[in-house]
Amino acid sequence: MTGKTERADRVSVTRERILTAAERLFAEHGVFAVSNRQVSEAAGQGNNAAVGYHFGTKTHLVRAIIRKHAEPVERIRERMLADMGDSADVRDWAACLVRPVTEHLAALGSPTWHARFIAQVVTDPSLRALVAEETRSSPSLRRTLEGFHQCLPELPAEVRAERGDMARQLITHMCAERERALAEGTPTPRASWHDAATGLIDALVGLWLAPVTRDS
Amino acid sequence: MTGKTERADRVSVTRERILTAAERLFAEHGVFAVSNRQVSEAAGQGNNAAVGYHFGTKTHLVRAIIRKHAEPVERIRERMLADMGDSADVRDWAACLVRPVTEHLAALGSPTWHARFIAQVVTDPSLRALVAEETRSSPSLRRTLEGFHQCLPELPAEVRAERGDMARQLITHMCAERERALAEGTPTPRASWHDAATGLIDALVGLWLAPVTRDS
């Protein structure tokens, strides 16, 4: 192994440690309550400026955490899309929205911090655009939303957009609620991420298929 | 008017100015990105410590904003409950969850900041307990959740709790999304808060009535 490769490996380990420490602190105390200095310390870096050196500003750090998880979620959804037959129905497309997220959380083992982190990011006025960027650039997510269009051609376009937003909000915030309950040891309505996904899919199918009332 | 009453009125005007300035700044920039000093300045207070003098810490200020809005929402829901007949169905109860919030936002006129403020508070690890306290102490909300129980006696208790959480998350975050779109001048799927509520009620009825899949 050359000296250059060794150094690259060491940098990669340090960056990974920082990302993990940041995500945990952000989930538990809030993205803005935690300083880059605290993150550097929690990541075991002697140099308190390690976050700045490796990532730049807090916004850059937040984007790096988002990307770290977006990639495996995208891969799971691509796999589900590849297995999807021509007769896919609303339930199949709802599963394609939900299961990549919950499978990824389950694969991370316990505890996880990502769901609480993302819920804060999408709600914060200065950070939410970062998630919107990642979402817009996801081919698998675009394909999934087109799937609902194919199944529900009679749904007015603005109601389809509205229910797409609702689905996104539900998945994000219900995963964060479950993750928090697991971390705090409070009861959860479902025994596993798989079962929690089933509950979300049931609800999303009902939501997408609900009749549309026309206001006068 | 006695000097004492005049002073009480002046204090009340100052407190109200601080609450309004804080809510706007929190909605637009984030609850933690804004300092008490910035709130005091935006409220036109010569004394930069005005927030501390009138409210104490930021947590106390946040609680005061929550309470200011919880009272009118509670009154609207009490009125709806009083008008509710014995034959109330799932749609009536869904309306009883949603319309008090959207009617209050509509009554505030444009622009509003409260929906974005609350969405941040319920998502923040250190502040969310404040909203949970208010929610638990609301008799009208408890009565409404019992209403769903009466309409859907066959729904397993844990699924009822889960769908109650989903309803809460949807109302909070969809109102915040609409408020943000209105503030930014981006398109919204509905023309008014009343119509946005109708879209939410349609979705919630579908969600509450969705069949429950049993995982193996």
Side-chain angles (χ1 to χ4, degrees):
Chain A
M1 199 186 260
T2 68
K4 209 169 176 180
T5 319
E6 270 174 39
R7 190 179 174 279
D9 282 355
R10 222 165 46 234
V11 165
S12 158
V13 167
T14 301
R15 286 177 57 99
E16 192 57 36
R17 273 196 196 140
I18 291 172
L19 292 176
T20 305
E23 191 174 56
R24 174 171 61 76
L25 291 174
F26 293 163
E28 291 175 349
H29 306 289
V31 173
F32 281 95
V34 174
S35 67
N36 285 358
R37 185 194 186 89
Q38 287 170 306
V39 172
S40 300
E41 279 172 14
Q45 300 305 305
N47 179 358
N48 281 330
V51 166
Y53 176 75
H54 286 282
F55 294 97
T57 65
K58 183 175 278 184
T59 302
H60 290 105
L61 176 60
V62 166
R63 181 182 279 132
I65 303 174
I66 295 169
R67 290 217 171 130
K68 175 183 157 182
H69 294 277
E71 286 166 25
V73 171
E74 183 74 14
R75 278 197 301 273
I76 300 170
R77 192 174 287 114
E78 293 286 2
R79 190 197 71 212
M80 288 184 71
L81 286 171
D83 292 347
M84 194 91 96
D86 288 338
S87 59
D89 61 12
V90 170
R91 187 167 191 90
D92 295 322
W93 292 113
C96 215
L97 273 186
V98 175
R99 295 229 184 259
V101 177
T102 52
E103 264 193 35
H104 175 60
L105 287 165
L108 291 172
S110 184
T112 61
W113 303 286
H114 189 60
R116 284 169 286 172
F117 163 78
I118 282 288
Q120 288 178 59
V121 173
V122 300
T123 314
D124 184 84
S126 66
L127 298 175
R128 57 192 302 276
L130 297 178
V131 174
E133 272 171 37
E134 289 299 317
T135 307
R136 263 196 304 273
S137 70
S138 156
S140 74
L141 206 52
R142 197 174 322 124
R143 177 72 196 94
T144 305
L145 291 171
E146 283 165 16
F148 285 102
H149 187 11
Q150 285 161 10
C151 288
L152 302 162
E154 73 292 351
L155 209 58
E158 71 279 10
V159 177
R160 204 165 56 236
E162 183 180 58
R163 293 183 179 179
D165 272 356
M166 290 179 183
R168 191 168 46 81
Q169 298 286 354
L170 266 189
I171 296 167
T172 301
H173 294 287
M174 291 303 287
C175 285
E177 290 278 291
R178 176 177 163 77
E179 186 185 76
R180 185 181 302 110
L182 291 175
E184 292 172 356
T186 51
T188 55
R190 307 277 174 164
S192 65
W193 281 110
H194 182 273
D195 294 1
T198 303
L200 266 168
I201 293 165
D202 283 351
L204 288 183
V205 170
L207 184 156
W208 279 100
L209 294 177
V212 177
T213 305
R214 278 281 155 223
D215 275 300
S216 55
Chain B
M1 199 185 264
T2 68
K4 209 169 175 180
T5 320
E6 270 174 39
R7 187 176 177 281
D9 283 353
R10 221 165 45 232
V11 165
S12 159
V13 167
T14 301
R15 285 177 59 98
E16 192 56 37
R17 274 195 196 140
I18 292 172
L19 292 177
T20 305
E23 192 174 55
R24 175 170 61 75
L25 291 175
F26 292 164
E28 291 175 348
H29 306 289
V31 173
F32 282 95
V34 174
S35 66
N36 284 357
R37 184 192 187 91
Q38 287 171 307
V39 171
S40 300
E41 279 171 13
Q45 300 305 303
N47 179 358
N48 281 331
V51 166
Y53 176 75
H54 286 281
F55 293 96
T57 64
K58 182 174 279 184
T59 303
H60 291 105
L61 176 59
V62 166
R63 181 182 278 133
I65 302 174
I66 295 170
R67 291 219 171 128
K68 175 182 157 182
H69 294 277
E71 287 167 24
V73 170
E74 183 74 14
R75 279 198 300 273
I76 300 170
R77 192 175 285 116
E78 293 288 1
R79 190 198 70 213
M80 287 184 72
L81 286 171
D83 292 345
M84 194 90 95
D86 289 338
S87 60
D89 60 12
V90 170
R91 188 170 189 89
D92 295 322
W93 293 113
C96 215
L97 274 186
V98 175
R99 296 228 183 261
V101 178
T102 52
E103 264 193 33
H104 176 59
L105 287 165
L108 291 172
S110 184
T112 61
W113 302 286
H114 188 61
R116 284 167 289 172
F117 163 77
I118 282 288
Q120 287 178 61
V121 173
V122 299
T123 314
D124 185 85
S126 66
L127 298 174
R128 58 192 301 275
L130 297 177
V131 174
E133 272 172 35
E134 289 300 317
T135 308
R136 264 195 303 274
S137 70
S138 157
S140 75
L141 206 53
R142 197 174 321 124
R143 177 72 196 94
T144 304
L145 290 171
E146 283 166 15
F148 284 102
H149 186 11
Q150 285 161 11
C151 289
L152 302 162
E154 73 293 351
L155 208 58
E158 71 279 9
V159 176
R160 205 167 54 239
E162 184 181 57
R163 292 184 180 179
D165 272 355
M166 289 180 184
R168 191 169 46 82
Q169 298 286 355
L170 265 189
I171 295 167
T172 302
H173 294 288
M174 290 303 289
C175 285
E177 290 277 292
R178 177 177 161 78
E179 187 185 77
R180 185 180 302 110
L182 291 173
E184 292 173 355
T186 51
T188 56
R190 307 278 176 165
S192 66
W193 282 110
H194 182 273
D195 294 0
T198 302
L200 266 168
I201 293 165
D202 284 351
L204 288 183
V205 170
L207 184 155
W208 280 99
L209 295 177
V212 177
T213 306
R214 278 283 157 220
D215 276 301
S216 54

